[in-house]
Amino acid sequence: MAILEAKCLKKIYTTRFGGNRVQALSNVSFSVEEGEYVAIMGESGSGKTTLLNILAALDKPTSGQVLLGGKSVSALKEREMTAFRRNNLGFVFQDFNLLDTFSLQDNIFCLLY
Ligand SMILES: Nc1ncnc2c1ncn2[C@@H]1O[C@H](COP(=O)(O)OP(=O)(O)O)[C@@H](O)[C@H]1O
Ligand SMILES: [Mg+2]
C-alpha cells in the first residue's frame, strides 16, 4: 500500500481581498510506496514548496486530498497531526526558521515538542 498519496491537489493563493489569484498547483496526483526515494524537481515558482507544505499539513490545499498511510490528513485533528509530524516527518526548511531569541539548544527542543 502507498504510504503517501496526493490526489488532485490544487492550490490557489488569493490576496486578502481576493484581488490577485495565483494557481500554484493544478491537479497534482501521485503516490509513494514504502522505501521509495522521491525527488520533486521544477523551476523556481513551479510549486515545490507549496506541495511540500501541503504534504506536511503545514498548509491546506484549495481542493484535493493527501492520504498518509491511507488516512486523509484533513480528517486528522490538529493534535493528531502534531503527533504525526513529530513521529514521522522530517522537514528541512529552505531558510532555517530558527527563532533568534532562543538558544540553539532551545531551537532543537522546539522541533521535538
Ligand atoms: N504565500 C503565497 N501567496 C501568494 N502566492 C504565493 C505564495 N507562496 C507561493 N506563491 C506563488 O505560488 C507559486 C509557486 O510557489 P512555490 O511553491 O514557492 O514554488 P517553488 O518552491 O517551486 O519555487 C509562485 O508563483 C509563487 O509566487
Ligand atoms: Mg521553494
Side-chain angles (χ1 to χ4, degrees):
M1 188 185 69
I3 53 167
L4 170 67
E5 273 181 276
K7 288 192 169 176
C8 300
L9 290 178
K10 194 166 153 187
K11 179 69 178 181
I12 298 172
Y13 291 107
T14 47
T15 48
R16 199 192 302 188
F17 301 108
N20 280 343
R21 290 162 56 90
V22 177
Q23 173 128 26
L25 298 177
S26 162
N27 285 328
V28 176
S29 300
F30 63 94
S31 63
V32 179
E33 301 293 326
E34 188 164 1
E36 253 190 300
Y37 189 97
V38 177
I40 299 159
M41 298 191 286
E43 63 190 57
S44 179
S46 60
K48 305 179 296 293
T49 297
T50 302
L51 177 62
L52 288 176
N53 286 343
I54 291 171
L55 294 181
L58 299 172
D59 197 3
K60 293 195 163 112
T62 306
S63 63
Q65 267 196 315
V66 176
L67 305 182
L68 289 166
K71 218 173 161 189
S72 172
V73 164
S74 60
L76 292 178
K77 295 196 177 71
E78 190 58 41
R79 188 179 265 276
E80 293 174 299
M81 195 57 223
T82 304
F84 182 84
R85 270 196 221 101
R86 182 170 57 224
N87 297 327
N88 299 283
L89 279 180
F91 205 113
V92 180
F93 292 99
Q94 196 159 1
D95 40 13
F96 307 107
N97 285 355
L98 295 175
L99 303 171
D100 53 13
T101 50
F102 282 25
S103 68
L104 186 56
Q105 190 182 42
D106 286 341
N107 266 286
I108 292 167
F109 288 158
C110 266
L111 294 173
L112 299 175
Y113 294 100

